[in-house]
DNA sequence: ATGAAAGCGCTAACAG
DNA sequence: CTGTTAGCGCTTTCAT
């Protein structure tokens, strides 16, 4: 239907190889004919068929971005970073939301592999990626974001989680807090382990006893509701005077739920209880919210992910890459502390 | 490199046409051999090459989603809707952020066309789409979201904008408001015209005079800052007692800026001034925000966009489609009115 | 029911 | 510098 390389070859009375060469700015092709070809191509509205090109070149200039949920405010920024870097490298990206569902994750990865993506960026629903058999058996260049997958040949772009919570803790302690709670996301998550480590480190350095009763974990989801529910439990479980004076949460969504629970019970923030989150999602900087938080450089993470992915693609398998690239989090002090 | 149809044909000592047929569940192929082929394929970890398949079938099972900015809280929900419908139809989607830049928009559309997408869903940066020459010259099936493009062969998924503002106005008037301001997004936008129409309609029906001084427009961007600035201007321009008692904004982001300006000037909301937005972005339902707003069914819009796109693709060009599909907005009454 | 062969649109040797 | 040819992996006639 469309105009192909052959159509324009026929028009010009040259072989279609010549047209291909001209269009690809190949060195040995007469300047004159090159011009003729190009102008003819424009005239006829020729659009190269990237699919056909991909078939012969074994490269599609396409990468996959598989994330849990673009609706979760953490990811749009990441996606933006990925994309911004992708335009400059001339790649297009397939967006896939797994909805935190491992089967769907696998389904997507397979679909993308069949579509011959050149590389994959993903935030898996869990750090156990053994369900992604085809991916693991493949040579597909892959970069993980925000989860640490300690496998060879993969690199993970993460933030220095321990340093993040440690900064936040140091700040709280300097402000006079001694009884600080940690609301985590379960022990399996690498990021949670690290954040807890930072929490404990700071406590140790300041000679403050680590109290298990101050360390709790949310069960399934890391959303507002979980934070809300858990905080209510905490308030109920503690003798009023033994309540912590500050709480640091695994992420901002949890922190928002925590705050809501506190307000509903009549607590003043930060006077009665200081609250710190992690991530710095878009919600947190709203004037109405003003959540103190440990910011992840989300946009940058996406950008770096894409850039290292491209590098991996370009260099084949000879070069060794780091297993993780660690960025620095930043403590954003706002109104909840 | 990978295992292809030929590899497995050789293994089995059959022609590769047979393998193709077996794998595609073609009617006339012996049940026995079909089984052998399939099990062999699984054994060898065969993955069909969708690129090659696309080349011969002229169909890639891929569509493009071109939006201004996934970071704008309106779009993640839309994207989610598109994607959710896409999985069931077995399509993958290319995500492109144009950053409200028409050249980039054109660049992306071209890139996607070269990658042989089967269809396109897009929210253009402006309703004038004449810069998208290649798209307009092509037969590419296209559905627009949230902008009305009155061209033949295209269909736009929009909300009944006039009805939306009219509902909101009726509600405000019933609450006793008589001096109500409208903060628009400029006269060019179809949605703005419609929303303004709804505003005026309600006024007329209630025999309230339409006053031009109450109708203003934000200049370039429809974000929080614009709303903030414009509201400050309004407060300064009006004699205190002649200020409107309510304001209805083109979108939620503007409304948030408006609220911020008001609060900073000491206004109580909703007592001193009621504020209504449009869209119902994620921010608006936060307990900290509780913005009354006219909700667009964003997820649904995305879903319907994908579904009608698929239908267009399936039916070729014989069938005629509506030029617009209009959904109903819903007034969500919260704390700012 | 199966095989042989053509061809989708393109690039990349290989000749000349 | 240009044309001829093979082939990327697959589907689909056309024979058998």
């Amino acid at each position: 239907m469309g105009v192909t390389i052959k159509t324009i070859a026929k028009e010009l009375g040259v072989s279609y190889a010549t047209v291909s060469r001209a269009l690809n700015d190949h060195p040995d092709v007469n300047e004159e004919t090159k011009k003729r070809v190009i102008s003819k191509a424009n005239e006829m509205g020729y659009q190269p068929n990237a699919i056909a090109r991909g078939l012969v070149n074994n490269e599609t200039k396409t990468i996959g971005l598989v994330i849990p949920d673009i609706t979760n405010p953490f990811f749009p920024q990441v996606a933006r970073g990925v994309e911004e870097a992708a335009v400059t490298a001339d790649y297009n990206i397939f967006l896939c939301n797994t909805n935190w569902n491992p089967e769907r994750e696998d389904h997507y990865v397979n679909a993308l592999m069949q579509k011959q993506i050149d590389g994959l960026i993903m935030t898996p629903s869990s750090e156990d990626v053994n369900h992604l058999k085809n991916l693991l058996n493949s040579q597909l260049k892959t970069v993980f974001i925000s989860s640490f997958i300690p496998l060879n040949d993969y690199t993970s772009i993460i933030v220095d989680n321990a340093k993040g919570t440690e900064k936040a803790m140091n700040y709280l302690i300097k402000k006079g807090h001694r009884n600080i709670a940690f609301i985590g996301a379960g022990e399996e998550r690498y990021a949670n382990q690290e954040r807890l480590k930072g929490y404990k480190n700071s406590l140790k350095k300041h000679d403050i006893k680590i109290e298990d009763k101050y360390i709790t974990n949310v069960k399934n989801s890391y959303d507002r509701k979980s934070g809300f529910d858990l905080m209510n439990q905490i308030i109920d479980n503690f003798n009023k005077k033994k309540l912590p004076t500050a709480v640091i949460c695994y992420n901002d969504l949890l922190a928002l739920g925590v705050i809501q629970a506190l307000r509903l019970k009549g607590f003043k923030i930060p006077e009665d209880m200081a609250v710190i989150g992690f991530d710095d999602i878009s919600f947190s900087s709203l004037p109405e919210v003003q959540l103190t938080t440990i910011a992840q450089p989300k946009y940058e993470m996406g950008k770096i992910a894409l850039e290292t992915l491209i590098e991996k693609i370009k260099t084949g398998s000879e070069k060794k890459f780091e297993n993780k690239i660690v960025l620095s989090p930043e403590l954003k002090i706002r109104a909840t502390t």
Side-chain angles (χ1 to χ4, degrees), chain A residues 27 44 79 82 110 150 170 181 242 332:
Chain A
M44 304 186 70
V82 171
N110 290 336
N170 291 346
K242 287 194 180 156
K332 300 240 179 180

Side-chain angles (χ1 to χ4, degrees), chain A residues 165-214:
Chain A
T165 39
E166 197 169 339
K167 270 189 191 173
M169 289 294 290
N170 291 346
Y171 159 75
L172 285 174
I173 292 170
K174 189 182 281 173
K175 282 207 116 184
H177 293 277
R178 287 302 172 270
N179 301 323
I180 304 172
F182 178 84
I183 293 187
E187 279 110 31
E188 327 77 54
R189 290 235 145 215
Y190 173 79
N192 192 76
Q193 295 163 21
E194 290 292 305
R195 291 178 196 179
L196 188 54
K197 196 186 287 176
Y199 167 88
K200 291 182 176 173
N201 278 349
S202 174
L203 253 20
K204 273 183 217 147
K205 281 190 191 147
H206 290 88
D207 278 323
I208 302 175
K209 194 171 159 222
I210 296 169
E211 309 225 45
D212 281 348
K213 64 178 177 189
Y214 286 148

